[in-house]
Amino acid sequence: MGVKSKAAAAILVLLLFLGSLWLQGGLDYHWDSCIKGYNQVNKLHQLSNSSGADGAEGSQLLEGCPGQTFQVSLLLSHLLAAPAYTSDVLLQPYLSSWDELVKFMDALGPMVGLISKEIESKTSIIRQLALLAEENPEAELGPDIHSINSGSTEVGTKKDLGASQHTGAYHSVRSMIWVELNRGVVDFHHQTDSGCRTLLRLHRALLWLQLFLEKLAETPVAGRLRSPSELCREAYQSTLANHHTWFVRRAAELAFIAMPERGFFFRLVCVQNQDELSTVLNRVVRAIGEVYNRTQRALEENGMLDLP
Ligand SMILES: *[C@@H]1O[C@H](CO)[C@@H](O)[C@H](O)[C@H]1NC(C)=O
Ligand SMILES: *[C@@H]1O[C@H](CO)[C@@H](O)[C@H](O)[C@H]1NC(C)=O
């Protein structure tokens, strides 16, 4: 596909997106953020440089990648910090992981960057709710975190988490579910801006990114590597597309056409070849999997997988 037709597709997608819904929430796109996304991508192309990544399986964290806004090492450390107790997920590192994933999406071009704007609005809804809960602690039905995470063997770690964590209601996925259910703010029939409903939207998008990264990490035994845009579309079709209207599906699939080639992803995470990319991405995919599975179980146990 030539540059001109890519541009034409991009403009079409932009128009489609402006009038549609992404994660079934209100879209609030701004032209300036769109232009910012475009400039950022251009800058990333210029800054691209590959300094060898460590990639060693044993080392706990990855090295930083100079010249990139998105840092895969930061993403991994946030993801690894999120699981807590036996089956819970801490919201602060969960949302920080999303901050990094938003930078990842922004790097993939202005069209995917538009999707990330919607993600950002979701993370800020939960952050707002957490702030409100902290400001009005008297209004809070403070749950006993230990009863929520019953069976926990890590009782001692709670105090060590420090004051930087959200406390109370929005400390973790399970505490949020517990508090919102008790306050009656989760509506199972109508659309609301509850934390649970918002989390579900993020949760669904996380599965899409997990699958995309998993596919990007695959090295076929025979045959050639497939294009990221094809893999991203495939990942979308088997995940998020199930929750989208026909209109949003068409727009999303167009957005993936303009996705960068594989070499771009090498530079984005500072690796030289597909083997190194697989090593890095597989670690990220496993970390996402742990977070995703825990969130999935918490939502499922509370019948929240279909919140409108
Ligand atoms: C690019 O990486 C090489 C080593 O891989 C390094 O010597 C060089 O200084 C880097 N350039 C920039 C602009 O970071
Ligand atoms: C998450 O759950 C899936 C399906 O139940 C399983 O295949 C996968 O190994 C789990 N991932 C992790 C990291 O626990």
Side-chain angles (χ1 to χ4, degrees):
M1 185 182 262
V3 172
K4 270 188 191 161
S5 42
K6 271 191 185 175
I11 288 163
L12 182 59
V13 171
L14 183 60
L15 293 174
L16 287 173
F17 260 115
L18 285 170
S20 69
L21 298 171
W22 177 248
L23 301 177
Q24 295 172 34
L27 287 190
D28 189 16
Y29 295 151
H30 304 289
W31 286 99
D32 60 356
S33 60
C34 181
I35 290 159
K36 201 178 76 205
Y38 178 73
N39 287 339
Q40 190 182 17
V41 171
N42 277 359
K43 210 165 65 201
L44 285 173
H45 276 299
Q46 286 154 16
L47 286 172
S48 61
N49 190 15
S50 307
S51 69
D54 149 33
E57 198 58 22
S59 67
Q60 185 66 11
L61 296 173
L62 299 167
E63 280 172 24
C65 180
Q68 302 292 344
T69 310
F70 164 69
Q71 291 292 329
V72 70
S73 56
L74 266 182
L75 172 61
L76 187 63
S77 65
H78 291 315
L79 286 169
L80 293 173
Y85 313 105
T86 44
S87 60
D88 211 347
V89 174
L90 298 177
L91 277 176
Q92 188 157 298
Y94 181 85
L95 295 176
S96 300
S97 305
W98 268 116
D99 291 342
E100 216 51 40
L101 286 169
V102 161
K103 289 184 208 162
F104 172 73
M105 286 187 278
D106 283 343
L108 301 187
M111 293 304 122
V112 184
L114 285 176
I115 298 169
S116 75
K117 289 289 162 292
E118 185 59 20
I119 302 273
E120 274 183 296
S121 81
K122 297 280 175 271
T123 55
S124 56
I125 287 174
I126 299 183
R127 286 191 164 114
Q128 280 296 318
L129 290 168
L131 268 179
L132 276 175
E134 276 170 36
E135 284 165 9
N136 307 303
E138 72 281 359
E140 194 181 299
L141 299 166
D144 178 359
I145 197 93
H146 300 301
S147 67
I148 293 168
N149 292 286
S150 56
S152 168
T153 52
E154 304 162 67
V155 171
T157 60
K158 195 218 164 185
K159 284 195 176 65
D160 301 335
L161 292 171
S164 66
Q165 301 284 343
H166 292 313
T167 49
Y170 292 85
H171 171 74
S172 72
V173 166
R174 283 180 186 268
S175 67
M176 176 177 81
I177 291 175
W178 194 92
V179 168
E180 290 200 339
L181 280 177
N182 275 279
R183 285 185 189 154
V185 295
V186 184
D187 194 319
F188 286 83
H189 305 288
H190 301 99
Q191 189 176 317
T192 55
D193 267 350
S194 67
C196 292
R197 184 248 174 212
T198 308
L199 176 75
L200 178 63
R201 266 64 204 175
L202 290 173
H203 178 65
R204 288 171 177 172
L206 190 60
L207 185 62
W208 160 55
L209 287 176
Q210 182 191 358
L211 195 60
F212 173 48
L213 295 177
E214 199 177 310
K215 286 174 184 291
L216 209 53
E218 275 167 13
T219 313
V221 193
R224 38 177 239 101
L225 293 163
R226 292 160 66 209
S227 78
S229 107
E230 194 183 337
L231 299 175
C232 190
R233 197 182 64 234
E234 216 176 75
Y236 172 78
Q237 280 166 348
S238 54
T239 55
L240 265 184
N242 300 322
H243 306 287
H244 284 167
T245 59
W246 181 90
F247 192 60
V248 178
R249 287 202 300 273
R250 294 290 85 75
E253 282 163 19
L254 278 174
F256 304 144
I257 292 174
M259 191 164 278
E261 297 300 322
R262 193 170 283 267
F264 176 85
F265 291 87
F266 293 173
R267 297 192 292 274
L268 192 61
V269 300
C270 283
V271 298
Q272 311 285 351
N273 53 46
Q274 178 63 22
D275 279 349
E276 289 176 12
L277 184 70
S278 295
T279 308
V280 172
L281 292 187
N282 280 328
R283 289 182 68 185
V284 173
V285 167
R286 269 198 303 279
I288 293 179
E290 180 69 31
V291 170
Y292 179 87
N293 285 6
R294 284 167 173 248
T295 313
Q296 173 79 7
R297 244 175 285 132
L299 290 170
E300 196 172 15
E301 282 169 25
N302 291 281
M304 291 184 171
L305 289 177
D306 295 306
L307 287 183

